[in-house]
Amino acid sequence: MSKALVAFFSASGVTKKLSEKLANAIGADLFEIVPEQLYTDADLNWRDKQSRSSVEMNDRSCRPAITSKIDDMSGYDVVFVGFPVWWYREPSIIDTFAESYDFSGKTIVPFATSGGSDIGDSGKNIAELTKGARVDVGRKFSANASEADLKAWAEKFL
Ligand SMILES: Cc1cc2nc3c(=O)[nH]c(=O)nc-3n(C[C@H](O)[C@H](O)[C@H](O)COP(=O)(O)O)c2cc1C
């Protein structure tokens, strides 16, 4: 059986809860992608074109710094990457994460929570940053997805 990691970024806690449920359901390790500078409520205001998240998401080359670090990525075969959908795709800090490790030969499986949008081109975007990895298109889950649903979906990749 493959060794799996659930790595996630969560600004307001919804994706964090889902990630804990997923890791628990499949017996995977859990890793939080922690921004060097935490996002404040003002940073997350998508109605404000000048807010930090708006500015970051308008710049495809933006790579917000991460303070947390995975000691040994080489031990994992499958990496589930969780995040909130921001502007119909993965937050820029997920791009930072994608470029921070050597994922070649591994399977990357994006998953997300959102206010309603689908996961969009997130999988394609992540694949461009992780050459040599197999990257699934990923899936959006509702915040209250059950452990059984998560397990049934995740097992296809293990
Ligand atoms: C900056 C920003 C942009 C967002 N963009 C979208 C979007 O395009 N589509 C959508 O359905 N929800 C959007 N949302 C809502 C989040 O995806 C949703 O609330 C998510 O579950 C939050 O997860 P978290 O608590 O793990 O941060 C956005 C939220 C923020 C803060």
Side-chain angles (χ1 to χ4, degrees):
M1 187 141 154
S2 11
K3 184 150 165 53
L5 174 71
V6 175
F8 69 93
F9 163 67
S10 179
S12 56
V14 177
T15 312
K16 180 176 185 153
K17 261 198 193 140
L18 191 81
S19 301
E20 288 167 351
K21 230 189 265 181
L22 171 62
N24 201 41
I26 61 173
D29 291 347
L30 187 65
F31 171 77
E32 180 162 10
I33 297 166
V34 182
E36 202 165 279
Q37 191 190 342
L38 295 176
Y39 288 85
T40 64
D41 286 348
D43 289 342
L44 297 173
N45 185 356
W46 65 84
R47 292 186 188 87
D48 176 2
K49 286 196 167 66
Q50 309 303 322
S51 75
R52 177 181 168 199
S53 59
S54 296
V55 171
E56 287 182 0
M57 296 305 286
N58 264 323
D59 174 6
R60 297 299 300 218
S61 65
C62 180
R63 297 290 185 270
I66 297 171
T67 70
S68 52
K69 186 107 188 89
I70 295 162
D71 289 335
D72 188 10
M73 181 61 92
S74 69
Y76 298 105
D77 309 297
V78 184
V79 183
F80 293 89
V81 181
F83 48 86
V85 172
W86 281 7
W87 296 102
Y88 312 102
R89 67 175 180 96
E90 79 289 357
S92 307
I93 197 166
I94 293 297
D95 297 343
T96 309
F97 177 76
E99 289 180 342
S100 298
Y101 299 92
D102 178 7
F103 289 101
S104 48
K106 302 185 192 304
T107 300
I108 297 178
V109 188
F111 67 98
T113 67
S114 81
S117 302
D118 214 334
I119 197 160
D121 282 340
S122 306
K124 215 194 283 176
N125 297 337
I126 292 168
E128 274 169 24
L129 305 175
T130 55
K131 296 288 175 214
R134 288 175 299 276
V135 185
D136 188 71
V137 290
R139 189 171 146 183
K140 193 255 320 210
F141 285 92
S142 70
N144 59 2
S146 73
E147 218 169 284
D149 283 351
L150 290 165
K151 186 170 185 187
W153 165 76
E155 274 179 346
K156 292 183 297 195
F157 304 102
L158 300 174

